[in-house]
Amino acid sequence: NADYDVSGVVVGAFEADAPRLPKTDAMKTGDVVIGLLSSGLHANGFSLVRTTVESANMEYLQQAPFDPTKSLGEALLVPTKIYAPILKKLVAAGLIKAASPVTKGGIIGAFPSILPEHLAAKLSTDAWELPGIFRWLGVAGCLPCSELANTFNCGIGMVLVVDAGDVEAVLALLEDTHEEHAQIGVLVERAQSHAQTLLEGAESQWLMLPQLGASLPFPRVLSSMHDDAHNSKQQVVVLVGASCEGLYGLAQAAGPSASYELAGVITTD
């Protein structure tokens, strides 16, 4: 058997009087969420990655479909980015209330361990671009955006919670240290029984190809392409203007009894 599992562990220590995070008592609505960009998969979600690669009939030595400069294997194994240097500076300056790496549970799972029960993180997916590796996984694996967000970091490797009054200082420090980042959301009051991570706009933003103004096929349509009951339906790509007038009605009409399925949208805006 040529398969191996490799695991490791890192143990840290800090002085008893050193500042501790998260500062949950200091958190409030309006606090800002800043994301530090990831370098790739960051060693998470590989069970799903392997399944997707197999279902796509890809080999790891083949050129990566989303990066012509690397093989698929090289692109999947880009080393995890280490954020310790910038975090030490931010903590020493007293500029952050919390920091959480985006690991198991994806970007959705990064917040429950650092937020008080009465607050939630509302994230705007138009604040950063979903990297090509995650777009490819979503399409090749027929994954809905919710599964992407619950499995992968989706381009954000570390999240910071910052007081609105400290955002300018934090952004200046990130710029000075050339740390790639995005202001991705805010803290809001958490409604009863609601999740602590609210992801807005993923279905539209993450399925778009920014360079072309075109969407990738909806995961439901991708799945139906493997279903003989749907193969007789005509796949339709719609060209719309900036107002998208009439698109909602068209989408609503594309039900089970329709002779077509809405496979994508191209905007002229």
Side-chain angles (χ1 to χ4, degrees):
N1 190 342
D3 295 332
Y4 296 88
D5 286 332
V6 180
S7 62
V9 63
V10 175
V11 178
F14 59 91
E15 300 295 333
D17 59 349
R20 298 192 182 194
L21 301 179
K23 301 176 182 178
T24 53
D25 291 342
M27 293 184 193
K28 60 184 184 298
T29 59
D31 284 348
V32 176
V33 179
I34 295 175
L36 307 184
L37 303 194
S38 67
S39 55
L41 290 172
H42 283 197
N44 281 282
F46 272 85
S47 294
L48 185 53
V49 168
R50 286 192 291 270
T51 300
T52 301
V53 172
E54 290 175 4
S55 65
N57 294 316
M58 292 285 294
E59 298 289 338
Y60 292 106
L61 294 179
Q62 286 181 252
Q63 184 185 76
F66 48 87
D67 186 349
T69 68
K70 295 183 177 72
S71 70
L72 178 59
E74 290 171 332
L76 294 174
L77 295 177
V78 171
T80 300
K81 193 171 185 179
I82 305 300
Y83 302 97
I86 185 60
L87 288 178
K88 288 174 64 177
K89 293 180 179 180
L90 291 167
V91 172
L95 291 174
I96 59 176
K97 297 181 179 182
S100 178
V102 184
T103 54
K104 184 179 180 180
I107 194 166
I108 295 293
F111 293 94
S113 64
I114 62 171
L115 297 183
E117 286 293 325
H118 68 284
L119 293 176
K122 184 171 72 171
L123 309 182
S124 300
T125 55
D126 60 355
W128 80 97
E129 185 174 336
L130 185 72
I133 187 171
F134 301 108
R135 292 180 186 274
W136 179 76
L137 286 167
V139 173
C142 297
L143 306 176
C145 292
S146 58
E147 189 167 0
L148 281 177
N150 278 285
T151 306
F152 302 111
N153 66 62
C154 298
I156 302 295
M158 178 74 67
V159 293
L160 312 174
V161 177
V162 180
D163 190 277
D166 291 328
V167 169
E168 188 174 336
V170 171
L171 295 180
L173 185 53
L174 294 175
E175 292 287 349
D176 289 344
T177 54
H178 307 289
E179 185 69 54
E180 294 182 295
H181 60 278
Q183 192 169 316
I184 64 174
V186 295
L187 298 191
V188 297
E189 199 69 30
R190 182 188 182 192
Q192 188 175 7
S193 77
H194 282 202
Q196 281 193 287
T197 309
L198 310 173
L199 202 61
E200 293 192 332
E203 293 293 340
S204 58
Q205 292 295 329
W206 285 0
L207 294 181
M208 291 296 294
L209 295 174
Q211 299 86 347
L212 302 178
S215 71
L216 298 175
F218 303 147
R220 181 184 62 79
V221 176
L222 284 168
S223 300
S224 73
M225 290 178 182
H226 302 284
D227 187 345
D228 291 339
H230 292 272
N231 283 344
S232 60
K233 290 192 175 186
Q234 187 171 3
Q235 307 296 313
V236 176
V237 176
V238 182
L239 176 67
V240 298
S243 67
C244 296
E245 184 177 354
L247 180 58
Y248 178 76
L250 181 63
Q252 289 292 95
S257 60
S259 61
Y260 66 92
E261 289 190 341
L262 188 59
V265 178
I266 299 175
T267 67
T268 59
D269 186 14

